[in-house]
């Protein structure tokens, strides 16, 4: 589990068909990392297999490479957002992020607005259903708030403050770039429960019902 508060930026490269190496010389959490730890790499939860003071390696499945932007970014030696897993007692400054990418979106527009920036993205149908104004979304692992969206949710905008812009890979995004999207966990579960309720409530709660369920 993560919060979407990025702690470092690293460089992603491909060591083999299924293994990636992340260089992160300025990552403060590397001093406390261990084999088996989870780290979100551009919003994708991956497991540390080896590490040293300069970075770490992870293995990725074909499923992960197909459903995220990691393959293309590793081939290009691109910069990625890094966040270690949340620990009990840590501050939750963003929102609960699982590191399980729901789909890939595309940068449609980037507009400076005074000292901030407004980014507009497209979202695939599997993510669009959960995008609402002022709702939370993780973009490349960053916890962000939806400023505006169309009715379907397949096009939305976010406002980015200078600190977030400078401390994440948002500063490197260009028109047409693809990004990893993870919709809000609460929205996904609520949507599922409303569509497929697990049980039907009784027509009437009477003494017989209470006795049958141990309340009398």
């Amino acid at each position: 589990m993560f919060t979407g508060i990025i702690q470092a930026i690293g460089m992603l490269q491909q060591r083999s068909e299924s293994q990636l190496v992340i260089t992160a010389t300025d990552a403060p959490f590397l001093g406390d990392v261990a084999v088996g730890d989870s780290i979100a790499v551009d919003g994708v939860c991956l497991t540390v297999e080896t590490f040293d003071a300069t970075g770490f390696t992870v293995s990725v499945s074909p499923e992960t490479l197909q459903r995220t932007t990691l393959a293309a970014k590793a081939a290009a030696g691109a910069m990625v957002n890094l966040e270690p897993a949340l620990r009990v007692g840590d501050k939750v400054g963003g929102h609960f992020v699982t590191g399980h990418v729901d789909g890939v979106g595309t940068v449609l527009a980037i507009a400076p607005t005074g000292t901030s920036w407004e980014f507009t993205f497209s979202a695939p149908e599997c993510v669009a259903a959960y995008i609402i104004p002022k709702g939370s979304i993780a973009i490349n692992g960053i916890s962000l708030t939806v400023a505006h969206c169309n009715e379907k949710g397949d096009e939305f905008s976010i406002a980015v403050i200078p600190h977030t812009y400078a401390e994440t890979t948002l500063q490197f995004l260009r028109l047409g770039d693809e990004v990893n999207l993870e919709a809000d966990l609460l929205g996904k579960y609520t949507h599922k429960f409303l569509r497929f309720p697990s049980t039907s409530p009784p027509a009437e709660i009477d003494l017989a019902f209470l006795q049958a369920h141990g309340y009398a």
Side-chain angles (χ1 to χ4, degrees), residues 1 3 7 85-93 96:
M1 185 70 73
T3 69
Q7 295 193 16
L86 182 67
R87 294 182 176 183
V88 175
D90 284 352
K91 293 180 179 179
V92 183
F96 287 122

Side-chain angles (χ1 to χ4, degrees), residues 56-75:
F56 58 97
T57 62
V58 296
S59 289
V60 287
S61 67
E63 170 81 2
T64 298
L65 293 176
Q66 291 169 8
R67 290 184 174 272
T68 71
T69 64
L70 291 186
K73 290 189 174 183

Side-chain angles (χ1 to χ4, degrees), residues 8-15 18-27 29-30 33 39-42 44-60 70 73-74 77-83:
I9 294 177
M11 177 178 287
L12 180 65
Q13 295 177 312
Q14 195 150 6
R15 173 170 289 178
S18 62
Q19 192 174 59
L20 304 178
V21 57
I22 297 93
T23 303
T25 54
D26 295 327
F29 57 82
L30 281 179
V33 76
I39 296 179
V41 178
D42 248 21
V44 184
C45 180
L46 299 172
T47 301
V48 175
E49 295 184 338
T50 66
F51 68 94
D52 58 27
T54 65
F56 58 97
T57 62
V58 296
S59 289
V60 287
L70 291 186
K73 290 189 174 183
M79 308 305 286
V80 289
N81 296 311
L82 303 175
E83 182 192 357

